[in-house]
Amino acid sequence: MPRPTVAQLAYGSATVILSTLAMLLLSQTSSGPGIGVIAISAVILGLFVAMSVPTRKAGAQPQSEPAADGPVTARRIPSPARGTAAESVREREPAGP
């Protein structure tokens, strides 16, 4: 069984603490069995939340863009207000040696 991640531990613990406080405040119970039921239900809810946190698969690498074949140069995209079609074609031509 894999170890839980930091995110799973954090979300599960926060869920247990916050749901226990919320249920105790909303139910206003003071009996032992009532507090026990609330505590057990909060732990179960925390487990469900911790298990539903998406995990990164082992060996998964972030995808990167493939390398370009040649040097990468910036191209200007002419706006419709400036230049003619002939000027925009000249701007797209590769630079000579």
Side-chain angles (χ1 to χ4, degrees):
M1 186 169 146
R3 292 183 179 180
T5 62
V6 175
Q8 287 175 319
L9 290 173
Y11 284 126
S13 299
T15 301
V16 170
I17 293 168
L18 293 176
S19 62
T20 302
L21 288 175
M23 286 188 278
L24 285 173
L25 289 173
L26 290 173
S27 68
Q28 297 180 355
T29 186
S30 59
S31 67
I35 294 173
V37 168
I38 288 174
I40 290 171
S41 62
V43 169
I44 292 171
L45 182 63
L47 285 173
F48 282 135
V49 168
M51 294 312 223
S52 66
V53 173
T55 58
R56 196 169 57 180
K57 294 181 182 177
Q61 297 292 328
Q63 294 182 1
S64 62
E65 295 182 23
D69 292 335
V72 179
T73 58
R75 296 182 182 175
R76 283 184 24 198
I77 300 173
S79 65
R82 359 173 294 212
T84 62
E87 290 175 354
S88 64
V89 169
R90 270 187 303 209
E91 289 176 0
R92 288 191 221 136
E93 292 176 359

